[in-house]
Amino acid sequence: MGDIYKLKYTKLYADKEGETHFKEEEFIMNSKDYSPPAPPVWVAPRTRATGSTVVAFPIGWYGDFHPAPKPQWMMILKGSMEVEVSDGEKRTFLAGSIAFLDDLGSKGHISRSIGNEVSIVSVTEVE
């Protein structure tokens, strides 16, 4: 195990004009004795969470343009979600995908549950 691991994620953000876009980002996870006596693991920088929940999106669910209610991490646990930003780009997030939504005060994004199963998403709101 090396000293660091780079975890990539997708950031959904708003520019100064209120248009929303995607970009790829990563954070450095450092080797740490997280839960001794277990061996070290890679740990991401800590973020203060203000709330956490799990959301189930029915098959075919569609949410027209809306911003995230708060800056939040979105982790797809089951199923798949398609997200479209206001610049027209669409991305599909499958189980295991991680995204950070930070589009408050903007045109927002479109979300839809795609595929033939309910999409389960873990959402962690941050400061």
Side-chain angles (χ1 to χ4, degrees):
M1 180 173 143
D3 289 337
I4 65 167
Y5 179 82
K6 294 179 181 179
L7 180 65
K8 295 182 180 192
Y9 64 93
T10 300
K11 182 175 183 178
L12 189 160
Y13 70 99
D15 63 23
K16 292 178 183 177
E17 288 76 40
E19 294 292 336
T20 53
H21 313 277
F22 291 116
K23 70 178 173 179
E24 297 307 306
E25 293 200 343
E26 65 183 22
F27 49 79
I28 304 297
M29 300 174 75
N30 293 296
S31 177
K32 182 177 181 180
D33 287 323
Y34 189 72
S35 55
V41 293
W42 292 300
V43 179
R46 293 186 68 82
T47 303
R48 181 169 302 280
T50 57
S52 180
T53 191
V54 175
V55 181
F57 295 90
I59 296 168
W61 181 88
Y62 174 86
D64 208 352
F65 277 102
H66 63 282
K70 295 182 179 181
Q72 59 191 22
W73 287 101
M74 176 182 82
M75 290 161 253
I76 309 297
L77 303 177
K78 178 182 173 189
S80 53
M81 297 290 294
E82 181 183 76
V83 179
E84 180 178 348
V85 289
S86 66
D87 71 9
E89 185 177 358
K90 293 180 186 179
R91 293 203 183 175
T92 299
F93 295 90
L94 305 173
S97 297
I98 301 171
F100 184 70
L101 282 64
D102 190 16
D103 63 346
L104 282 74
S106 71
K107 295 178 181 180
H109 59 277
I110 295 171
S111 303
R112 59 176 63 87
S113 178
I114 58 175
N116 58 2
E117 65 180 332
V118 171
S119 296
I120 307 295
V121 179
S122 174
V123 176
T124 302
E125 298 166 348
V126 297
E127 292 180 346

